[in-house]
Amino acid sequence: MLDLAGDLRRWLEEGREFAVATVVSVGGSAPRGPGAALAVDGDGTVIGSVSGGCVEGAVYDLCQEALADGRARTERFGYSDEDAFAVGLTCGGTIEVLVTPAGAGSPVRPVLESALADLPGGGPGALAWVTDGPADLLGRVLLVRPDGTYDGGLGGAAELDRAAAAAARDLLDAGSTGTVTVGPGADAYCEGRPTLFVQSSVPPPRMIVFGAVDFAAALVRVGAFLGYHVTVCDARPVFATRARFPEADEIVVDWPHRYLRTTRTDARTVLCVLTHDAKFDVPLLEVALRLPVAYVGAMGSRRTHTDRLRRLRDAGVGERALSRLRSPIGLDLGARTPEETALSIAAEIVATRHGGTGAPLTTTTTPIHREGRAAPAAA
């Protein structure tokens, strides 16, 4: 839903009533992941998408029904071999959609107003929707903040709200989006244990590009396109300039290894070492390969890579750490230009992030859309 933040905020400001359909679970090869949303206002205006077109018409109708009767509902869509004209996903996967009305008197509306004010742009927080359980709780939502405070309520006992907020905060702390069932027992708080879909909003993941070279400019553009917060770091002020990297979020003039020791990184961070100069990249990789980041890649020829490994071993870097190094950096695309090389690097980052093989899809039999291993999504 957060990908529709700008339009939904405008609808709220204009006093429009609307219903939001959110993908809360997927199975198999589904076109869009959890959190994808479609919204319909009282005039029939539609924004967003939950399936890339396969079931949009049916979801539109569900939103209209929710606006008419004020009730939330869920619907599962899949592929039917028995009826070629049935509403479903032609890709063969399944999606479950939660449709929630946000009319003028809906308890959901003020929570959405707070969420759409706080979360877009990477503001940390999580929306926790009830997707299964007691019928009177379906579609209720909490906005949970990193400090554990929350807006809204699930309509049950206060203990349920606290348990739901704690469960959502656990996912938020991990930067994850997913489902969780709350309540210690089947008869606790209510007749059933409600299941929550928790959509976390966290700052964009970082891409740090070391080496203000011509290849770096192209990689900065691709990194920004993929949604990373991109930093360029180089010890040479004549090269690390805003004029050379206008699309970078940050430009840092410092020795790469010194900067990496002090800057914030996490499990989503990708580090791209383009210096291919031993006096820069060996001290840097000594630090980088010991950090719990998502990706460490280094540019250079195979001869450079062999020499780099020798120097890193001499510096005391163990084989387990060295096995994390992606070098020569990127997938084998036959890249020649800086732009093609940036595409090669980005392709390897995406494959690493989602567990892809990097092989042509025509030569594989694995699912196109993998479940699990996905890095937490940014708002």
Side-chain angles (χ1 to χ4, degrees), residues 7-373:
D7 287 322
L8 292 181
R9 190 164 50 236
R10 177 170 53 82
W11 284 6
L12 287 167
E13 291 169 352
E14 294 172 353
R16 300 196 204 185
E17 297 191 345
F18 58 88
V20 179
T22 304
V23 176
V24 296
S25 69
V26 302
S29 183
R32 301 206 64 195
L38 177 150
V40 179
D41 74 359
D43 294 328
T45 302
V46 60
I47 55 174
S49 171
V50 295
S51 71
C54 302
V55 300
E56 310 299 86
V59 174
Y60 179 89
D61 291 340
L62 289 172
C63 288
Q64 294 276 48
E65 293 170 10
L67 277 170
D69 63 23
R71 293 190 299 105
R73 61 204 70 205
T74 59
E75 187 73 36
R76 183 178 295 272
F77 297 95
Y79 180 75
S80 172
D81 291 321
E82 299 172 355
D83 184 355
F85 295 99
V87 173
L89 301 178
T90 57
C91 56
T94 61
I95 62 171
E96 184 175 5
V97 175
L98 170 69
V99 179
T100 308
S106 168
V108 168
R109 194 175 180 94
V111 183
L112 295 186
E113 290 177 342
S114 296
L116 294 173
D118 294 349
L119 302 189
L127 281 171
W129 304 85
V130 178
T131 62
D132 194 17
D136 59 333
L137 302 188
L138 186 66
R140 300 298 286 265
V141 63
L142 292 177
L143 168 61
V144 182
R145 301 183 181 84
D147 62 3
T149 60
Y150 56 89
D151 289 351
L154 302 187
E159 298 96 313
L160 177 60
D161 288 347
R162 288 194 290 268
R169 186 183 176 188
D170 287 342
L171 283 173
L172 176 60
D173 287 345
S176 298
T177 288
T179 58
V180 62
T181 300
V182 297
D187 58 351
Y189 311 132
C190 51
E191 294 181 357
R193 299 176 62 193
T195 297
L196 306 176
F197 169 69
V198 180
Q199 184 177 12
S200 294
S201 170
V202 292
R206 296 192 69 190
M207 172 185 285
I208 309 179
V209 181
F210 297 97
V213 298
D214 52 352
F215 290 93
L219 184 56
V220 166
R221 292 194 294 272
V222 174
F225 175 75
L226 292 177
Y228 285 94
H229 180 281
V230 185
T231 300
V232 176
C233 176
D234 197 298
R236 302 165 297 178
V238 67
F239 293 109
T241 65
R242 176 59 62 185
R244 284 169 53 82
F245 301 99
E247 294 171 89
D249 294 290
E250 294 178 290
I251 298 172
V252 175
V253 178
D254 198 352
W255 279 84
H257 68 284
R258 185 166 61 191
Y259 173 68
L260 187 56
R261 283 198 186 107
T262 59
T263 194
R264 173 189 59 82
T265 61
D266 59 27
R268 303 178 299 151
T269 302
V270 301
L271 307 176
C272 300
V273 181
L274 309 186
T275 51
H276 51 84
D277 183 333
K279 70 176 178 290
F280 289 113
D281 60 19
V282 171
L284 170 60
L285 289 170
E286 286 184 62
V287 179
L289 292 172
R290 294 185 172 101
L291 293 174
V293 295
Y295 175 91
V296 181
M299 178 175 280
S301 66
R302 297 192 187 280
R303 180 177 178 180
T304 298
H305 173 61
T306 299
D307 178 67
R308 182 187 291 135
L309 289 178
R310 178 185 61 78
R311 292 172 182 268
L312 288 168
R313 289 188 179 101
D314 290 346
V317 180
E319 296 303 316
R320 183 174 180 180
L322 290 175
S323 69
R324 299 179 55 218
L325 177 59
R326 301 282 182 152
S327 177
I329 196 170
L331 298 184
D332 180 13
L333 304 183
R336 293 179 179 272
T337 67
E339 290 75 18
E340 290 173 345
T341 302
L343 178 62
S344 165
I345 296 169
E348 184 174 51
I349 290 170
V350 172
T352 302
R353 176 179 178 179
H354 296 294
T357 65
L361 291 173
T362 55
T363 67
T364 66
T365 58
T366 55
I368 295 174
H369 303 287
R370 286 171 168 77
E371 296 184 59
R373 294 201 60 177

